[in-house]
Amino acid sequence: NAGVMQNPRHLVRRRGQEARLRCSPMKGHSHVYWYRQLPEEGLKFMVYLQKENIIDESGMPKERFSAEFPKEGPSILRIQQVVRGDSAAYFCASSRGPQSSSGANVLTFGAGSRLTVL
Amino acid sequence: KQEVTQIPAALSVPEGENLVLNCSFTDSAIYNLQWFRQDPGKGLTSLLLIQSSQREQTSGRLNASLDKSSGRSTLYIAASQPGDSATYLCAVNFGNEKLTFGTGTRLTIIP
């Protein structure tokens, strides 16, 4: 069981380019969460997805950011027309079920993808 | 507003000492609280999870306590080792699917 796999681990983009970050959840996990960690700040929730459904995207910026978790393949966080302020570490986490379910499904985090915008 | 605060931001202690890390939260109606460890350039490792109905959890040299009424949690590390050096994050589930994180305490154990 390889855990939560994120790639790329490091990504450099110039302003205006697109960034695509991928997350493969742990085997048996169907719930995926994306968090962003800006320099010197705590992790902030972005979006919660299940297969083919966005459940909660209240933490996503209104523009340029989108996320998907297709029936097959990894979850993808897409940032269009990147700006310097998008430079951050983006963490993906997965769980077997909702956080609010009995038994409190523990999140397993990936190692993160570090985006640098030049 | 639901917030999580960790003070101090950084802490250095000599090897072998026992230490306590603090976490406070603004809303006592929590579902659970987790302590994570983050190493530089790495992901997060879950250390302990405390349900709202529990008062403490223990794993090896780590003990986490929860006092909902005062909005506080502590992470106690016994007999500290250089390998314990990392950033420790407190995260609260306020009853939805989002974890609210503190900004962490950067711990350095001095050999």
Side-chain angles (χ1 to χ4, degrees), chain B residues 31-70:
Chain B
Y31 193 77
N32 59 49
L33 182 146
Q34 284 184 252
W35 282 93
F36 291 88
R37 167 184 174 140
Q38 183 176 25
D39 292 282
K42 302 284 181 62
L44 280 66
T45 301
S46 180
L47 298 173
L48 290 165
L49 168 69
I50 310 179
Q51 303 274 21
S52 64
S53 59
Q54 298 174 324
R55 293 297 297 256
E56 65 177 349
Q57 283 285 332
T58 298
S59 175
R61 294 183 294 109
L62 306 179
N63 175 278
S65 69
L66 175 64
D67 184 344
K68 288 192 303 178
S69 61
S70 66

PDB file of all heavy atoms in Angstrom, chain B residues 31-70:
ATOM      1  N   TYR B  31     -15.761  18.003  16.908  1.00  0.00           N
ATOM      2  CA  TYR B  31     -16.017  16.590  16.651  1.00  0.00           C
ATOM      3  C   TYR B  31     -14.805  15.753  17.062  1.00  0.00           C
ATOM      4  O   TYR B  31     -14.936  14.722  17.688  1.00  0.00           O
ATOM      5  CB  TYR B  31     -16.349  16.379  15.190  1.00  0.00           C
ATOM      6  CG  TYR B  31     -16.915  15.015  14.897  1.00  0.00           C
ATOM      7  CD1 TYR B  31     -18.234  14.706  15.195  1.00  0.00           C
ATOM      8  CD2 TYR B  31     -16.108  14.021  14.338  1.00  0.00           C
ATOM      9  CE1 TYR B  31     -18.742  13.450  14.960  1.00  0.00           C
ATOM     10  CE2 TYR B  31     -16.615  12.767  14.103  1.00  0.00           C
ATOM     11  CZ  TYR B  31     -17.929  12.483  14.403  1.00  0.00           C
ATOM     12  OH  TYR B  31     -18.423  11.233  14.178  1.00  0.00           O
ATOM     13  N   ASN B  32     -13.636  16.189  16.650  1.00  0.00           N
ATOM     14  CA  ASN B  32     -12.410  15.546  17.096  1.00  0.00           C
ATOM     15  C   ASN B  32     -11.232  16.496  16.902  1.00  0.00           C
ATOM     16  O   ASN B  32     -11.376  17.566  16.291  1.00  0.00           O
ATOM     17  CB  ASN B  32     -12.154  14.201  16.392  1.00  0.00           C
ATOM     18  CG  ASN B  32     -12.050  14.337  14.883  1.00  0.00           C
ATOM     19  OD1 ASN B  32     -11.326  15.184  14.381  1.00  0.00           O
ATOM     20  ND2 ASN B  32     -12.760  13.492  14.163  1.00  0.00           N
ATOM     21  N   LEU B  33     -10.099  16.115  17.420  1.00  0.00           N
ATOM     22  CA  LEU B  33      -8.885  16.923  17.318  1.00  0.00           C
ATOM     23  C   LEU B  33      -7.737  15.984  17.012  1.00  0.00           C
ATOM     24  O   LEU B  33      -7.637  14.897  17.574  1.00  0.00           O
ATOM     25  CB  LEU B  33      -8.639  17.675  18.627  1.00  0.00           C
ATOM     26  CG  LEU B  33      -7.426  18.607  18.694  1.00  0.00           C
ATOM     27  CD1 LEU B  33      -7.744  19.818  19.574  1.00  0.00           C
ATOM     28  CD2 LEU B  33      -6.188  17.907  19.181  1.00  0.00           C
ATOM     29  N   GLN B  34      -6.872  16.402  16.102  1.00  0.00           N
ATOM     30  CA  GLN B  34      -5.716  15.587  15.723  1.00  0.00           C
ATOM     31  C   GLN B  34      -4.432  16.366  15.889  1.00  0.00           C
ATOM     32  O   GLN B  34      -4.387  17.569  15.640  1.00  0.00           O
ATOM     33  CB  GLN B  34      -5.818  15.163  14.243  1.00  0.00           C
ATOM     34  CG  GLN B  34      -6.815  14.058  13.969  1.00  0.00           C
ATOM     35  CD  GLN B  34      -6.810  13.613  12.528  1.00  0.00           C
ATOM     36  OE1 GLN B  34      -7.728  13.877  11.772  1.00  0.00           O
ATOM     37  NE2 GLN B  34      -5.760  12.935  12.123  1.00  0.00           N
ATOM     38  N   TRP B  35      -3.407  15.648  16.265  1.00  0.00           N
ATOM     39  CA  TRP B  35      -2.053  16.190  16.261  1.00  0.00           C
ATOM     40  C   TRP B  35      -1.282  15.520  15.118  1.00  0.00           C
ATOM     41  O   TRP B  35      -1.313  14.303  14.964  1.00  0.00           O
ATOM     42  CB  TRP B  35      -1.356  15.916  17.586  1.00  0.00           C
ATOM     43  CG  TRP B  35      -1.783  16.835  18.689  1.00  0.00           C
ATOM     44  CD1 TRP B  35      -2.773  16.623  19.610  1.00  0.00           C
ATOM     45  CD2 TRP B  35      -1.221  18.111  18.994  1.00  0.00           C
ATOM     46  NE1 TRP B  35      -2.859  17.691  20.459  1.00  0.00           N
ATOM     47  CE2 TRP B  35      -1.916  18.609  20.118  1.00  0.00           C
ATOM     48  CE3 TRP B  35      -0.186  18.871  18.449  1.00  0.00           C
ATOM     49  CZ2 TRP B  35      -1.619  19.851  20.693  1.00  0.00           C
ATOM     50  CZ3 TRP B  35       0.112  20.106  19.020  1.00  0.00           C
ATOM     51  CH2 TRP B  35      -0.604  20.579  20.122  1.00  0.00           C
ATOM     52  N   PHE B  36      -0.604  16.367  14.335  1.00  0.00           N
ATOM     53  CA  PHE B  36       0.211  15.893  13.223  1.00  0.00           C
ATOM     54  C   PHE B  36       1.657  16.333  13.434  1.00  0.00           C
ATOM     55  O   PHE B  36       1.937  17.326  14.096  1.00  0.00           O
ATOM     56  CB  PHE B  36      -0.267  16.496  11.891  1.00  0.00           C
ATOM     57  CG  PHE B  36      -1.604  16.022  11.414  1.00  0.00           C
ATOM     58  CD1 PHE B  36      -2.767  16.661  11.824  1.00  0.00           C
ATOM     59  CD2 PHE B  36      -1.706  14.958  10.531  1.00  0.00           C
ATOM     60  CE1 PHE B  36      -3.999  16.249  11.365  1.00  0.00           C
ATOM     61  CE2 PHE B  36      -2.932  14.534  10.063  1.00  0.00           C
ATOM     62  CZ  PHE B  36      -4.089  15.181  10.482  1.00  0.00           C
ATOM     63  N   ARG B  37       2.522  15.624  12.763  1.00  0.00           N
ATOM     64  CA  ARG B  37       3.927  16.008  12.701  1.00  0.00           C
ATOM     65  C   ARG B  37       4.246  16.293  11.240  1.00  0.00           C
ATOM     66  O   ARG B  37       3.846  15.545  10.345  1.00  0.00           O
ATOM     67  CB  ARG B  37       4.780  14.861  13.224  1.00  0.00           C
ATOM     68  CG  ARG B  37       6.246  15.008  12.942  1.00  0.00           C
ATOM     69  CD  ARG B  37       7.035  13.817  13.399  1.00  0.00           C
ATOM     70  NE  ARG B  37       8.421  13.973  12.963  1.00  0.00           N
ATOM     71  CZ  ARG B  37       9.472  13.655  13.704  1.00  0.00           C
ATOM     72  NH1 ARG B  37       9.298  13.132  14.899  1.00  0.00           N
ATOM     73  NH2 ARG B  37      10.693  13.833  13.244  1.00  0.00           N
ATOM     74  N   GLN B  38       4.979  17.398  10.997  1.00  0.00           N
ATOM     75  CA  GLN B  38       5.405  17.729   9.646  1.00  0.00           C
ATOM     76  C   GLN B  38       6.902  17.959   9.647  1.00  0.00           C
ATOM     77  O   GLN B  38       7.413  18.821  10.358  1.00  0.00           O
ATOM     78  CB  GLN B  38       4.689  18.979   9.115  1.00  0.00           C
ATOM     79  CG  GLN B  38       5.042  19.311   7.681  1.00  0.00           C
ATOM     80  CD  GLN B  38       4.268  20.484   7.121  1.00  0.00           C
ATOM     81  OE1 GLN B  38       3.795  21.345   7.854  1.00  0.00           O
ATOM     82  NE2 GLN B  38       4.109  20.524   5.806  1.00  0.00           N
ATOM     83  N   ASP B  39       7.617  17.178   8.843  1.00  0.00           N
ATOM     84  CA  ASP B  39       9.050  17.354   8.680  1.00  0.00           C
ATOM     85  C   ASP B  39       9.303  18.251   7.474  1.00  0.00           C
ATOM     86  O   ASP B  39       8.510  18.246   6.524  1.00  0.00           O
ATOM     87  CB  ASP B  39       9.734  15.997   8.516  1.00  0.00           C
ATOM     88  CG  ASP B  39       9.666  15.178   9.797  1.00  0.00           C
ATOM     89  OD1 ASP B  39      10.462  15.467  10.702  1.00  0.00           O
ATOM     90  OD2 ASP B  39       8.784  14.299   9.894  1.00  0.00           O
ATOM     91  N   PRO B  40      10.404  18.996   7.470  1.00  0.00           N
ATOM     92  CA  PRO B  40      10.667  19.953   6.381  1.00  0.00           C
ATOM     93  C   PRO B  40      10.562  19.297   5.013  1.00  0.00           C
ATOM     94  O   PRO B  40      11.167  18.257   4.758  1.00  0.00           O
ATOM     95  CB  PRO B  40      12.095  20.415   6.671  1.00  0.00           C
ATOM     96  CG  PRO B  40      12.259  20.242   8.142  1.00  0.00           C
ATOM     97  CD  PRO B  40      11.465  19.009   8.490  1.00  0.00           C
ATOM     98  N   GLY B  41       9.777  19.893   4.145  1.00  0.00           N
ATOM     99  CA  GLY B  41       9.634  19.388   2.784  1.00  0.00           C
ATOM    100  C   GLY B  41       8.863  18.090   2.683  1.00  0.00           C
ATOM    101  O   GLY B  41       8.831  17.480   1.604  1.00  0.00           O
ATOM    102  N   LYS B  42       8.254  17.683   3.750  1.00  0.00           N
ATOM    103  CA  LYS B  42       7.541  16.404   3.749  1.00  0.00           C
ATOM    104  C   LYS B  42       6.049  16.630   4.010  1.00  0.00           C
ATOM    105  O   LYS B  42       5.602  17.742   4.272  1.00  0.00           O
ATOM    106  CB  LYS B  42       8.116  15.493   4.855  1.00  0.00           C
ATOM    107  CG  LYS B  42       9.596  15.206   4.727  1.00  0.00           C
ATOM    108  CD  LYS B  42       9.879  14.203   3.650  1.00  0.00           C
ATOM    109  CE  LYS B  42      11.349  13.886   3.523  1.00  0.00           C
ATOM    110  NZ  LYS B  42      11.898  13.288   4.753  1.00  0.00           N
ATOM    111  N   GLY B  43       5.316  15.528   3.967  1.00  0.00           N
ATOM    112  CA  GLY B  43       3.890  15.589   4.251  1.00  0.00           C
ATOM    113  C   GLY B  43       3.615  15.549   5.739  1.00  0.00           C
ATOM    114  O   GLY B  43       4.507  15.738   6.552  1.00  0.00           O
ATOM    115  N   LEU B  44       2.359  15.304   6.062  1.00  0.00           N
ATOM    116  CA  LEU B  44       1.941  15.262   7.454  1.00  0.00           C
ATOM    117  C   LEU B  44       1.774  13.825   7.911  1.00  0.00           C
ATOM    118  O   LEU B  44       1.228  12.999   7.181  1.00  0.00           O
ATOM    119  CB  LEU B  44       0.606  15.982   7.628  1.00  0.00           C
ATOM    120  CG  LEU B  44       0.621  17.502   7.714  1.00  0.00           C
ATOM    121  CD1 LEU B  44       1.065  18.138   6.417  1.00  0.00           C
ATOM    122  CD2 LEU B  44      -0.751  18.001   8.119  1.00  0.00           C
ATOM    123  N   THR B  45       2.210  13.581   9.129  1.00  0.00           N
ATOM    124  CA  THR B  45       2.021  12.269   9.737  1.00  0.00           C
ATOM    125  C   THR B  45       1.083  12.416  10.919  1.00  0.00           C
ATOM    126  O   THR B  45       1.357  13.213  11.832  1.00  0.00           O
ATOM    127  CB  THR B  45       3.368  11.695  10.214  1.00  0.00           C
ATOM    128  OG1 THR B  45       4.256  11.599   9.105  1.00  0.00           O
ATOM    129  CG2 THR B  45       3.169  10.316  10.832  1.00  0.00           C
ATOM    130  N   SER B  46      -0.002  11.677  10.911  1.00  0.00           N
ATOM    131  CA  SER B  46      -0.939  11.749  12.028  1.00  0.00           C
ATOM    132  C   SER B  46      -0.339  11.064  13.249  1.00  0.00           C
ATOM    133  O   SER B  46       0.137   9.936  13.165  1.00  0.00           O
ATOM    134  CB  SER B  46      -2.257  11.068  11.644  1.00  0.00           C
ATOM    135  OG  SER B  46      -3.178  11.132  12.715  1.00  0.00           O
ATOM    136  N   LEU B  47      -0.339  11.763  14.375  1.00  0.00           N
ATOM    137  CA  LEU B  47       0.233  11.222  15.613  1.00  0.00           C
ATOM    138  C   LEU B  47      -0.854  10.660  16.524  1.00  0.00           C
ATOM    139  O   LEU B  47      -0.763   9.523  16.977  1.00  0.00           O
ATOM    140  CB  LEU B  47       1.007  12.319  16.342  1.00  0.00           C
ATOM    141  CG  LEU B  47       2.200  12.914  15.604  1.00  0.00           C
ATOM    142  CD1 LEU B  47       2.766  14.097  16.381  1.00  0.00           C
ATOM    143  CD2 LEU B  47       3.267  11.861  15.370  1.00  0.00           C
ATOM    144  N   LEU B  48      -1.850  11.481  16.809  1.00  0.00           N
ATOM    145  CA  LEU B  48      -2.904  11.088  17.733  1.00  0.00           C
ATOM    146  C   LEU B  48      -4.206  11.751  17.318  1.00  0.00           C
ATOM    147  O   LEU B  48      -4.213  12.899  16.865  1.00  0.00           O
ATOM    148  CB  LEU B  48      -2.563  11.506  19.169  1.00  0.00           C
ATOM    149  CG  LEU B  48      -1.431  10.739  19.842  1.00  0.00           C
ATOM    150  CD1 LEU B  48      -0.948  11.475  21.089  1.00  0.00           C
ATOM    151  CD2 LEU B  48      -1.896   9.333  20.225  1.00  0.00           C
ATOM    152  N   LEU B  49      -5.286  11.025  17.486  1.00  0.00           N
ATOM    153  CA  LEU B  49      -6.627  11.539  17.218  1.00  0.00           C
ATOM    154  C   LEU B  49      -7.441  11.398  18.493  1.00  0.00           C
ATOM    155  O   LEU B  49      -7.495  10.308  19.071  1.00  0.00           O
ATOM    156  CB  LEU B  49      -7.279  10.746  16.084  1.00  0.00           C
ATOM    157  CG  LEU B  49      -8.777  10.941  15.858  1.00  0.00           C
ATOM    158  CD1 LEU B  49      -9.049  12.336  15.320  1.00  0.00           C
ATOM    159  CD2 LEU B  49      -9.328   9.890  14.924  1.00  0.00           C
ATOM    160  N   ILE B  50      -8.048  12.491  18.938  1.00  0.00           N
ATOM    161  CA  ILE B  50      -8.890  12.447  20.137  1.00  0.00           C
ATOM    162  C   ILE B  50     -10.320  12.784  19.728  1.00  0.00           C
ATOM    163  O   ILE B  50     -10.580  13.852  19.173  1.00  0.00           O
ATOM    164  CB  ILE B  50      -8.434  13.471  21.200  1.00  0.00           C
ATOM    165  CG1 ILE B  50      -6.949  13.357  21.472  1.00  0.00           C
ATOM    166  CG2 ILE B  50      -9.212  13.263  22.495  1.00  0.00           C
ATOM    167  CD1 ILE B  50      -6.461  14.371  22.484  1.00  0.00           C
ATOM    168  N   GLN B  51     -11.228  11.888  20.023  1.00  0.00           N
ATOM    169  CA  GLN B  51     -12.640  12.152  19.792  1.00  0.00           C
ATOM    170  C   GLN B  51     -13.143  13.139  20.835  1.00  0.00           C
ATOM    171  O   GLN B  51     -12.571  13.259  21.908  1.00  0.00           O
ATOM    172  CB  GLN B  51     -13.434  10.847  19.911  1.00  0.00           C
ATOM    173  CG  GLN B  51     -12.995   9.753  18.983  1.00  0.00           C
ATOM    174  CD  GLN B  51     -13.637   9.845  17.626  1.00  0.00           C
ATOM    175  OE1 GLN B  51     -14.111  10.915  17.235  1.00  0.00           O
ATOM    176  NE2 GLN B  51     -13.665   8.758  16.896  1.00  0.00           N
ATOM    177  N   SER B  52     -14.252  13.810  20.532  1.00  0.00           N
ATOM    178  CA  SER B  52     -14.779  14.821  21.445  1.00  0.00           C
ATOM    179  C   SER B  52     -15.200  14.215  22.783  1.00  0.00           C
ATOM    180  O   SER B  52     -15.213  14.906  23.803  1.00  0.00           O
ATOM    181  CB  SER B  52     -15.983  15.533  20.823  1.00  0.00           C
ATOM    182  OG  SER B  52     -17.045  14.632  20.625  1.00  0.00           O
ATOM    183  N   SER B  53     -15.503  12.927  22.786  1.00  0.00           N
ATOM    184  CA  SER B  53     -15.936  12.276  24.025  1.00  0.00           C
ATOM    185  C   SER B  53     -14.761  11.794  24.871  1.00  0.00           C
ATOM    186  O   SER B  53     -14.953  11.296  25.983  1.00  0.00           O
ATOM    187  CB  SER B  53     -16.836  11.077  23.700  1.00  0.00           C
ATOM    188  OG  SER B  53     -16.134  10.161  22.888  1.00  0.00           O
ATOM    189  N   GLN B  54     -13.549  11.913  24.349  1.00  0.00           N
ATOM    190  CA  GLN B  54     -12.367  11.422  25.050  1.00  0.00           C
ATOM    191  C   GLN B  54     -11.630  12.561  25.735  1.00  0.00           C
ATOM    192  O   GLN B  54     -11.729  13.724  25.340  1.00  0.00           O
ATOM    193  CB  GLN B  54     -11.435  10.702  24.071  1.00  0.00           C
ATOM    194  CG  GLN B  54     -12.075   9.465  23.434  1.00  0.00           C
ATOM    195  CD  GLN B  54     -11.196   8.851  22.358  1.00  0.00           C
ATOM    196  OE1 GLN B  54     -10.524   9.556  21.624  1.00  0.00           O
ATOM    197  NE2 GLN B  54     -11.225   7.532  22.272  1.00  0.00           N
ATOM    198  N   ARG B  55     -10.837  12.201  26.744  1.00  0.00           N
ATOM    199  CA  ARG B  55     -10.036  13.195  27.450  1.00  0.00           C
ATOM    200  C   ARG B  55      -8.568  13.136  27.048  1.00  0.00           C
ATOM    201  O   ARG B  55      -7.859  14.134  27.136  1.00  0.00           O
ATOM    202  CB  ARG B  55     -10.148  12.978  28.965  1.00  0.00           C
ATOM    203  CG  ARG B  55     -11.525  13.239  29.535  1.00  0.00           C
ATOM    204  CD  ARG B  55     -11.912  14.670  29.337  1.00  0.00           C
ATOM    205  NE  ARG B  55     -11.028  15.564  30.055  1.00  0.00           N
ATOM    206  CZ  ARG B  55     -11.352  16.169  31.189  1.00  0.00           C
ATOM    207  NH1 ARG B  55     -12.519  15.961  31.735  1.00  0.00           N
ATOM    208  NH2 ARG B  55     -10.508  16.995  31.773  1.00  0.00           N
ATOM    209  N   GLU B  56      -8.122  11.951  26.639  1.00  0.00           N
ATOM    210  CA  GLU B  56      -6.725  11.840  26.240  1.00  0.00           C
ATOM    211  C   GLU B  56      -6.497  10.593  25.397  1.00  0.00           C
ATOM    212  O   GLU B  56      -7.315   9.665  25.376  1.00  0.00           O
ATOM    213  CB  GLU B  56      -5.803  11.820  27.456  1.00  0.00           C
ATOM    214  CG  GLU B  56      -5.963  10.624  28.362  1.00  0.00           C
ATOM    215  CD  GLU B  56      -4.963  10.651  29.514  1.00  0.00           C
ATOM    216  OE1 GLU B  56      -4.031  11.476  29.496  1.00  0.00           O
ATOM    217  OE2 GLU B  56      -5.098   9.828  30.430  1.00  0.00           O
ATOM    218  N   GLN B  57      -5.353  10.623  24.696  1.00  0.00           N
ATOM    219  CA  GLN B  57      -4.901   9.487  23.910  1.00  0.00           C
ATOM    220  C   GLN B  57      -3.392   9.376  24.091  1.00  0.00           C
ATOM    221  O   GLN B  57      -2.698  10.400  24.217  1.00  0.00           O
ATOM    222  CB  GLN B  57      -5.219   9.669  22.426  1.00  0.00           C
ATOM    223  CG  GLN B  57      -6.660   9.420  22.031  1.00  0.00           C
ATOM    224  CD  GLN B  57      -7.009   7.954  22.009  1.00  0.00           C
ATOM    225  OE1 GLN B  57      -6.159   7.095  21.782  1.00  0.00           O
ATOM    226  NE2 GLN B  57      -8.270   7.656  22.276  1.00  0.00           N
ATOM    227  N   THR B  58      -2.914   8.144  24.061  1.00  0.00           N
ATOM    228  CA  THR B  58      -1.479   7.915  24.274  1.00  0.00           C
ATOM    229  C   THR B  58      -0.944   7.022  23.184  1.00  0.00           C
ATOM    230  O   THR B  58      -1.612   6.079  22.750  1.00  0.00           O
ATOM    231  CB  THR B  58      -1.236   7.260  25.642  1.00  0.00           C
ATOM    232  OG1 THR B  58      -1.689   8.156  26.663  1.00  0.00           O
ATOM    233  CG2 THR B  58       0.236   6.977  25.850  1.00  0.00           C
ATOM    234  N   SER B  59       0.283   7.334  22.747  1.00  0.00           N
ATOM    235  CA  SER B  59       0.982   6.478  21.799  1.00  0.00           C
ATOM    236  C   SER B  59       2.466   6.594  22.099  1.00  0.00           C
ATOM    237  O   SER B  59       3.097   7.617  21.830  1.00  0.00           O
ATOM    238  CB  SER B  59       0.696   6.904  20.357  1.00  0.00           C
ATOM    239  OG  SER B  59       1.470   6.137  19.447  1.00  0.00           O
ATOM    240  N   GLY B  60       3.021   5.539  22.695  1.00  0.00           N
ATOM    241  CA  GLY B  60       4.445   5.562  23.031  1.00  0.00           C
ATOM    242  C   GLY B  60       4.786   6.700  23.975  1.00  0.00           C
ATOM    243  O   GLY B  60       4.196   6.820  25.058  1.00  0.00           O
ATOM    244  N   ARG B  61       5.711   7.562  23.560  1.00  0.00           N
ATOM    245  CA  ARG B  61       6.127   8.684  24.404  1.00  0.00           C
ATOM    246  C   ARG B  61       5.213   9.899  24.269  1.00  0.00           C
ATOM    247  O   ARG B  61       5.480  10.939  24.882  1.00  0.00           O
ATOM    248  CB  ARG B  61       7.566   9.080  24.039  1.00  0.00           C
ATOM    249  CG  ARG B  61       8.613   8.021  24.354  1.00  0.00           C
ATOM    250  CD  ARG B  61      10.030   8.498  24.039  1.00  0.00           C
ATOM    251  NE  ARG B  61      10.234   8.701  22.599  1.00  0.00           N
ATOM    252  CZ  ARG B  61      10.358   9.886  22.035  1.00  0.00           C
ATOM    253  NH1 ARG B  61      10.309  10.997  22.755  1.00  0.00           N
ATOM    254  NH2 ARG B  61      10.543   9.980  20.727  1.00  0.00           N
ATOM    255  N   LEU B  62       4.170   9.777  23.474  1.00  0.00           N
ATOM    256  CA  LEU B  62       3.268  10.899  23.231  1.00  0.00           C
ATOM    257  C   LEU B  62       1.963  10.712  23.993  1.00  0.00           C
ATOM    258  O   LEU B  62       1.419   9.608  24.044  1.00  0.00           O
ATOM    259  CB  LEU B  62       2.955  11.022  21.738  1.00  0.00           C
ATOM    260  CG  LEU B  62       4.127  11.124  20.773  1.00  0.00           C
ATOM    261  CD1 LEU B  62       3.616  11.226  19.345  1.00  0.00           C
ATOM    262  CD2 LEU B  62       5.013  12.296  21.104  1.00  0.00           C
ATOM    263  N   ASN B  63       1.484  11.826  24.553  1.00  0.00           N
ATOM    264  CA  ASN B  63       0.178  11.822  25.204  1.00  0.00           C
ATOM    265  C   ASN B  63      -0.523  13.121  24.840  1.00  0.00           C
ATOM    266  O   ASN B  63       0.034  14.207  25.033  1.00  0.00           O
ATOM    267  CB  ASN B  63       0.331  11.696  26.724  1.00  0.00           C
ATOM    268  CG  ASN B  63      -1.004  11.809  27.437  1.00  0.00           C
ATOM    269  OD1 ASN B  63      -1.506  12.907  27.676  1.00  0.00           O
ATOM    270  ND2 ASN B  63      -1.604  10.680  27.760  1.00  0.00           N
ATOM    271  N   ALA B  64      -1.717  13.007  24.309  1.00  0.00           N
ATOM    272  CA  ALA B  64      -2.492  14.197  23.962  1.00  0.00           C
ATOM    273  C   ALA B  64      -3.717  14.261  24.855  1.00  0.00           C
ATOM    274  O   ALA B  64      -4.380  13.252  25.088  1.00  0.00           O
ATOM    275  CB  ALA B  64      -2.905  14.152  22.498  1.00  0.00           C
ATOM    276  N   SER B  65      -4.011  15.449  25.339  1.00  0.00           N
ATOM    277  CA  SER B  65      -5.174  15.656  26.187  1.00  0.00           C
ATOM    278  C   SER B  65      -6.127  16.623  25.506  1.00  0.00           C
ATOM    279  O   SER B  65      -5.728  17.408  24.632  1.00  0.00           O
ATOM    280  CB  SER B  65      -4.761  16.214  27.549  1.00  0.00           C
ATOM    281  OG  SER B  65      -4.280  17.540  27.399  1.00  0.00           O
ATOM    282  N   LEU B  66      -7.376  16.549  25.911  1.00  0.00           N
ATOM    283  CA  LEU B  66      -8.402  17.427  25.352  1.00  0.00           C
ATOM    284  C   LEU B  66      -9.305  17.939  26.462  1.00  0.00           C
ATOM    285  O   LEU B  66      -9.839  17.144  27.254  1.00  0.00           O
ATOM    286  CB  LEU B  66      -9.240  16.673  24.312  1.00  0.00           C
ATOM    287  CG  LEU B  66     -10.432  17.429  23.725  1.00  0.00           C
ATOM    288  CD1 LEU B  66      -9.970  18.648  22.933  1.00  0.00           C
ATOM    289  CD2 LEU B  66     -11.269  16.516  22.844  1.00  0.00           C
ATOM    290  N   ASP B  67      -9.452  19.257  26.535  1.00  0.00           N
ATOM    291  CA  ASP B  67     -10.388  19.889  27.472  1.00  0.00           C
ATOM    292  C   ASP B  67     -11.284  20.808  26.653  1.00  0.00           C
ATOM    293  O   ASP B  67     -10.923  21.951  26.360  1.00  0.00           O
ATOM    294  CB  ASP B  67      -9.629  20.669  28.537  1.00  0.00           C
ATOM    295  CG  ASP B  67     -10.558  21.270  29.583  1.00  0.00           C
ATOM    296  OD1 ASP B  67     -11.775  21.337  29.334  1.00  0.00           O
ATOM    297  OD2 ASP B  67     -10.071  21.689  30.641  1.00  0.00           O
ATOM    298  N   LYS B  68     -12.442  20.280  26.285  1.00  0.00           N
ATOM    299  CA  LYS B  68     -13.333  21.049  25.415  1.00  0.00           C
ATOM    300  C   LYS B  68     -13.846  22.313  26.091  1.00  0.00           C
ATOM    301  O   LYS B  68     -13.985  23.355  25.459  1.00  0.00           O
ATOM    302  CB  LYS B  68     -14.518  20.191  24.982  1.00  0.00           C
ATOM    303  CG  LYS B  68     -14.176  19.117  23.978  1.00  0.00           C
ATOM    304  CD  LYS B  68     -15.429  18.509  23.376  1.00  0.00           C
ATOM    305  CE  LYS B  68     -16.341  17.956  24.437  1.00  0.00           C
ATOM    306  NZ  LYS B  68     -17.598  17.401  23.873  1.00  0.00           N
ATOM    307  N   SER B  69     -14.128  22.221  27.389  1.00  0.00           N
ATOM    308  CA  SER B  69     -14.737  23.359  28.080  1.00  0.00           C
ATOM    309  C   SER B  69     -13.838  24.583  28.063  1.00  0.00           C
ATOM    310  O   SER B  69     -14.306  25.722  27.987  1.00  0.00           O
ATOM    311  CB  SER B  69     -15.091  22.977  29.512  1.00  0.00           C
ATOM    312  OG  SER B  69     -13.919  22.615  30.223  1.00  0.00           O
ATOM    313  N   SER B  70     -12.522  24.344  28.123  1.00  0.00           N
ATOM    314  CA  SER B  70     -11.590  25.467  28.094  1.00  0.00           C
ATOM    315  C   SER B  70     -11.031  25.698  26.695  1.00  0.00           C
ATOM    316  O   SER B  70     -10.270  26.648  26.479  1.00  0.00           O
ATOM    317  CB  SER B  70     -10.440  25.233  29.078  1.00  0.00           C
ATOM    318  OG  SER B  70      -9.660  24.123  28.660  1.00  0.00           O
TER     319      SER B  70
END
